[in-house]
Amino acid sequence: MPPLTSLRRRVPALVILGVLACVATQAQVVSHDDFAHALEKNAAYRKAAGMLPTTAHWIENAPIAWWEETDGTAHEYVLYNAQASQRSTLDKAKIASFVNARPASAPAAKPTAAAELVLRNLRFEDAGNRFVFAAQGGGHWNCTLPAYDCKLEASHHDEDEWPELPGFEGNDAQRAVVSPDGKWAATIQNYNVYLRPNGSTEPPVALSTEGTAGDYYQRSDLAWSPDSKHLLARRVLQGMRREVHYVESSPESQLQPLASSRFYAKPGDVVDRELPVLFDPATKKQTILSTELFPNPYEVRDFEWRKDSSAFTFVDNERGHQRLAVLAVDANTGAVRRILDETSRTYIEYTPLDPTPTGTGKFYRHDVNDGGEILWLSERDGWAHLYLFDGHTGQLKNQVTHGDWVVRGVDRVDDAKRQIYFEASGVDPKLDPYFTQGYRINFDGTGMVPMTEMPANHELAYSSDGTYYIDRASRIDLAPELALRRVSDGSVVTTLAKGDLAALKAAGWTPPEVFVAKGRDGRTDIWGIISKPAHFDPAKHYAVVENIYAGPQGSFVPKSFSSRIDPLTELGFVVVQIDGMGTNNRSKAFHDVIWKNLKDGGFADRILWHKAAAQKYPWYDATRVGIYGTSAGGQNAMGALLFHPEFYKAAVANSGCHDNRMDKMWWNEQWMGWPIGPEYAASSNVVNASRLQGRLMLVMGEMDSNVDPSSTLQVANALIKANKDFEFLDVPGGEHGAGGEYGERRLLDFFVRSLGNQNTVNWNATVAEKAK
């Protein structure tokens, strides 16, 4: 699951998602230098790969695109004016002069060389005349162009900070929400909605009286209708406020430990209940909506007024995630009706549709002609496709996209031309089914044409006026290339940036090999990659370690270029990644394997994949297989030893959510369901800890804000009670995926000992002893 970070001491992540490794039977004794070389190789390879372009972005209301180019150390920010065919770069020296000369009152930070300055969360505003960013040393900056007048913002919520406990925003009679016609001012006082004529000094009138400290109205929820005749509010019945408590044993700021806590909802907790309420400012009438059609929401969201003010709509995401509906409310009567009603036997993935492979949601809605029609994503035919509905009656007009493939993202909708520009994977059966390609299609499902051609993984970005788009294409064996293209005919205007791998290959880097085998059903292709070790000798036999991430929110075998190699390859390991059933971006049936069964982890497919690789390659020893992973991958890694000990022999589990009842609500109820049933215990590494066979190393960060650190401590407790042997690394101050280079060295050492049957070096030896 996606990691969260904090402002507390951060330790780099221990592992990259989903990999596999092998050690040669005839391996020589591993030395200190061998470990150091393995851990340093990636920096050398990244430098050799040169400056490579990242994903491009367009500046709103401007013909200008921007992207970053980096070699891992230097970072350059490029702007390209498509109309003027002009390339420029941000002046990092000018920016660095401000960042390094921050006021004495600002947080202290080590000066950063201009070339190495990273502009985190870079965003351009005012048609490119201003940009904002966060500096890696801290602080949020606002700069003008072309003057480069940069100012440190006095106060800014840092996205890395732990969120405050959610609750009542406060009574504030001074901060009014003014109606569009300027006549009315609505405020929140004493947990209720108050109204007075805008600009008046007379006391406001209470529109509601039932609000209390635990059942309150919020200022941020107030929304006027466009004609100013209706005010929409929401009353929040507060649910459970669970907190996870932390003790930071070794803070940098003081000698004594620090205690803290953070809000953290877990599966089964009572959620906030938001009740929409309508007010008529002229008559002061209050209309509380009937909840008959949304009796048990996990959340209600996306409240939108129709432009003619006749109604507003919202989305009801029902608890358990088996129903997702769009409801419409008559502004005059408050009558509620269901327009769209999406249901599923298993689950509906309610997070927003996103082509990013590791976090692909399935929710997409686009209203056409003020809600007269609705474009909607659904998996009702077994694949993620777009549908067009009548926005008034809710009747299906037509299915827009069809076939045994999935829509991965919608980049642009041209309402006037009734065309959709989208990204999809699996359309061409000759290509890797995970490769994302661009397409255009008409609302009625006709005229589908490709916007990309290269057999590669594509990322697309369209200019706001619909004239241009940028196509970033790459593969694991192909450096990224940025091309500027015309939307009208897909023609290439110019190549904006293109990587060159000659120096990288000369340095010894080789790309992974794509490998495909049949899954548990004997029909479905399971895709993965194999990276051979340095100094590979096909006459040798190699033991296997799988680094796994089987989180259902995405797919994790890389499809785009990276110079990164797993350090295990430098110690004689083969590195592989596999996407088994239960991961995302294939059919609904492929995905549904994990419903209420996260312990499945696609292992039935993974084991067959291993055996197929061993059958093809004599050097692949499928009798000595280990595994490692982080977060959900940590749960998977330990689960391999509990539920498949006949195949997996050793595991490193970092920051694992070892019992899904201990982890965050939103992620676990999505896949494991609600209410909590016996399936949670069946998938629990804590409950099943007594089944452990093989060698296990647990890793956790004591300040993990993503997965409750007690999840790992509870599984350790269960192992001790079961008299099981295991290794344990608790990283003081460590966040999610804790360990850094020390943890990675421990991982390498663990597998050399566990699968190579070698006694590794004396890590506490003196410099003189190491030189012997």
Side-chain angles (χ1 to χ4, degrees):
M1 61 203 73
L4 303 174
T5 57
S6 79
L7 287 181
R8 292 164 173 80
R9 183 171 56 189
R10 283 166 283 192
V11 185
L14 171 61
V15 291
I16 300 297
L17 302 175
V19 184
L20 225 166
C22 307
V23 162
T25 306
Q26 303 93 331
Q28 299 177 353
V29 175
V30 182
S31 68
H32 286 97
D33 288 344
D34 292 329
F35 281 100
H37 175 80
L39 293 172
E40 295 167 357
K41 195 66 176 180
N42 271 314
Y45 278 163
R46 185 63 191 89
K47 202 71 175 177
M51 300 290 281
L52 298 177
T54 61
T55 304
H57 310 270
W58 286 91
I59 298 175
E60 189 71 19
N61 299 321
I64 303 171
W66 71 270
W67 63 92
E68 179 186 356
E69 294 184 3
T70 179
D71 63 0
T73 301
H75 301 266
E76 190 172 80
Y77 297 89
V78 182
L79 294 93
Y80 187 84
N81 188 315
Q83 286 184 355
S85 302
Q86 185 177 37
R87 174 187 168 114
S88 61
T89 59
L90 289 182
D91 191 329
K92 296 278 292 299
K94 290 182 179 179
I95 300 170
S97 69
F98 284 95
V99 173
N100 291 330
R102 63 184 64 201
S105 59
K110 181 181 178 180
T112 304
E116 299 178 8
L117 179 64
V118 178
L119 309 183
R120 295 171 49 228
N121 305 323
L122 177 62
R123 185 177 73 255
F124 288 85
E125 299 177 347
D126 298 336
N129 293 314
R130 186 166 61 92
F131 63 94
V132 295
F133 68 95
Q136 67 260 44
H140 292 258
W141 293 83
N142 193 318
C143 304
T144 62
L145 285 175
Y148 285 96
D149 180 18
C150 296
K151 292 181 171 59
L152 181 65
E153 296 184 3
S155 62
H156 195 292
H157 173 72
D158 195 308
E159 66 175 13
D160 289 343
E161 291 178 345
W162 287 7
E164 296 179 357
L165 191 68
F168 181 59
E169 296 169 351
N171 297 295
D172 192 346
Q174 305 305 314
R175 292 198 311 138
V177 178
V178 179
S179 60
D181 63 6
K183 294 181 178 180
W184 300 102
T187 60
I188 301 297
Q189 297 183 44
N190 197 28
Y191 309 108
N192 283 284
V193 181
Y194 280 71
L195 185 73
R196 67 182 172 193
N198 188 31
S200 172
T201 58
E202 64 185 56
V205 175
L207 296 183
S208 69
T209 58
E210 72 279 6
T212 65
D215 192 4
Y216 45 79
Y217 288 92
Q218 298 273 53
R219 179 187 181 279
S220 61
D221 294 333
L222 299 178
W224 286 98
S225 62
D227 64 4
S228 302
K229 293 181 179 180
H230 309 280
L231 175 64
L232 170 62
R234 286 177 299 198
R235 198 173 76 235
V236 181
L237 178 61
Q238 187 170 288
M240 184 176 180
R241 291 295 182 265
R242 182 190 297 278
E243 293 184 71
V244 171
H245 298 271
Y246 298 81
V247 175
E248 187 173 10
S249 63
S250 310
E252 295 181 345
S253 60
Q254 65 185 51
L255 175 64
Q256 299 301 325
L258 283 174
S260 60
S261 64
R262 64 161 296 174
F263 171 67
Y264 194 105
K266 294 186 177 183
D269 289 355
V270 177
V271 298
D272 287 359
R273 178 70 181 272
E274 294 191 25
L275 177 64
V277 181
L278 272 173
F279 297 101
D280 185 326
T283 65
K284 310 302 186 288
K285 178 184 177 182
Q286 178 190 45
T287 303
I288 299 175
L289 304 190
S290 167
T291 60
E292 181 180 356
L293 295 181
F294 56 108
N296 186 30
Y298 170 77
E299 61 178 352
V300 289
R301 70 185 200 201
D302 302 342
F303 287 80
E304 296 180 11
W305 278 102
R306 294 301 188 207
K307 294 176 182 178
D308 63 5
S309 299
S310 64
F312 68 87
T313 63
F314 66 95
V315 173
D316 169 35
N317 178 10
E318 191 172 275
R319 190 94 187 251
H321 308 302
Q322 293 179 304
R323 164 172 270 167
L324 191 68
V326 177
L327 289 83
V329 180
D330 186 286
N332 294 311
T333 66
V336 184
R337 63 188 180 91
R338 193 178 285 131
I339 301 175
L340 293 182
D341 192 17
E342 191 74 31
T343 61
S344 172
R345 176 188 63 82
T346 55
Y347 55 82
I348 298 169
E349 197 176 352
Y350 63 89
T351 51
L353 182 69
D354 189 334
T356 304
T358 56
T360 309
K362 294 291 195 309
F363 177 79
Y364 180 78
R365 170 192 169 191
H366 175 80
D367 289 4
V368 183
N369 297 326
D370 198 23
E373 295 175 304
I374 299 175
L375 284 169
W376 182 259
L377 188 99
S378 171
E379 293 184 288
R380 60 186 61 192
D381 75 347
W383 302 85
H385 281 300
L386 294 170
Y387 294 77
L388 183 66
F389 287 88
D390 185 302
H392 300 296
T393 66
Q395 294 297 309
L396 175 65
K397 299 186 76 171
N398 61 269
Q399 184 171 348
V400 180
T401 58
H402 305 257
D404 293 352
W405 46 272
V406 295
V407 172
R408 296 278 296 277
V410 176
D411 297 315
R412 184 173 184 270
V413 178
D414 189 329
D415 290 349
K417 294 182 179 179
R418 300 181 67 79
Q419 292 180 326
I420 306 163
Y421 295 83
F422 67 100
E423 297 175 45
S425 56
V427 177
D428 186 343
K430 300 187 295 297
L431 297 181
D432 183 325
Y434 295 94
F435 277 172
T436 301
Q437 301 274 332
Y439 299 91
R440 183 183 67 226
I441 196 169
N442 297 323
F443 278 19
D444 62 5
T446 64
M448 180 168 157
V449 296
M451 303 297 289
T452 54
E453 299 87 21
M454 186 186 299
N457 202 42
H458 294 259
E459 301 169 74
L460 304 179
Y462 287 78
S463 61
S464 56
D465 67 357
T467 302
Y468 301 102
Y469 66 105
I470 293 179
D471 173 16
R472 182 182 188 269
S474 79
R475 292 190 307 263
I476 57 174
D477 62 343
L478 179 70
E481 176 180 330
L482 290 185
L484 178 68
R485 310 179 74 152
R486 288 189 181 86
V487 170
S488 58
D489 58 7
S491 62
V492 175
V493 177
T494 187
T495 298
L496 300 171
K498 186 175 183 178
D500 184 351
L501 303 185
L504 178 63
K505 292 179 179 179
W509 179 88
T510 57
E513 172 191 340
V514 176
F515 186 77
V516 184
K518 297 300 180 184
R520 68 187 77 181
D521 59 4
R523 302 185 306 274
T524 304
D525 284 339
I526 304 298
W527 288 69
I529 57 173
I530 301 174
S531 296
K532 296 175 182 176
H535 314 297
F536 174 73
D537 183 351
K540 294 181 178 180
H541 294 83
Y542 296 87
V544 180
V545 178
E546 181 183 350
N547 172 356
I548 186 174
Y549 190 93
Q553 77 271 19
S555 55
F556 304 95
V557 174
K559 302 299 173 183
S560 296
F561 176 80
S562 172
S563 63
R564 187 189 186 277
I565 54 101
D566 192 295
L568 288 164
T569 61
E570 293 299 310
L571 296 180
F573 287 77
V574 171
V575 180
V576 187
Q577 248 175 301
I578 311 164
D579 278 323
M581 291 188 187
T583 52
N584 212 333
N585 301 321
R586 300 284 290 276
S587 69
K588 177 67 169 164
F590 188 102
H591 202 193
D592 276 352
V593 164
I594 51 80
W595 184 56
K596 295 188 175 183
N597 188 25
L598 278 172
K599 75 174 187 299
D600 180 277
F603 282 115
D605 312 300
R606 296 169 188 275
I607 292 170
L608 288 171
W609 192 96
H610 283 293
K611 291 179 177 178
Q615 184 175 14
K616 181 175 181 179
Y617 300 119
W619 41 263
Y620 195 104
D621 187 351
T623 66
R624 293 182 296 142
V625 180
I627 190 167
Y628 72 92
T630 295
S631 195
Q635 178 183 9
N636 301 142
M638 182 175 176
L641 299 185
L642 304 182
F643 305 114
H644 302 278
E646 77 290 346
F647 191 79
Y648 294 96
K649 309 304 179 187
V652 175
N654 188 317
S655 306
C657 40
H658 294 290
D659 189 310
N660 298 106
R661 295 167 293 188
M662 287 288 293
D663 196 33
K664 62 195 71 63
M665 176 194 288
W666 71 266
W667 195 87
N668 292 275
E669 286 192 7
Q670 168 78 94
W671 318 117
M672 292 296 289
W674 178 89
I676 293 176
E679 300 87 358
Y680 278 82
S683 286
S684 169
N685 290 348
V686 178
V687 173
N688 292 284
S690 62
R691 301 167 61 119
L692 179 67
Q693 298 181 46
R695 299 179 181 181
L696 172 67
M697 178 170 135
L698 296 174
V699 183
M700 62 167 272
E702 68 177 4
M703 301 303 293
D704 190 336
S705 61
N706 187 336
V707 174
D708 185 344
S710 293
S711 185
T712 296
L713 292 171
Q714 288 184 5
V715 83
N717 180 54
L719 290 169
I720 291 169
K721 288 183 175 180
N723 200 30
K724 296 293 183 177
D725 192 37
F726 62 100
E727 299 180 31
F728 188 28
L729 174 60
D730 182 357
V731 181
E735 247 288 355
H736 194 60
E741 186 173 308
Y742 175 81
E744 193 159 21
R745 190 266 288 168
R746 288 287 301 272
L747 180 145
L748 300 179
D749 183 271
F750 174 84
F751 284 120
V752 169
R753 287 184 285 110
S754 299
L755 294 180
N757 296 315
Q758 298 182 56
N759 293 320
T760 59
V761 298
N762 176 10
W763 291 106
N764 296 332
T766 65
V767 175
E769 290 172 332
K770 291 179 181 179
K772 292 181 180 178

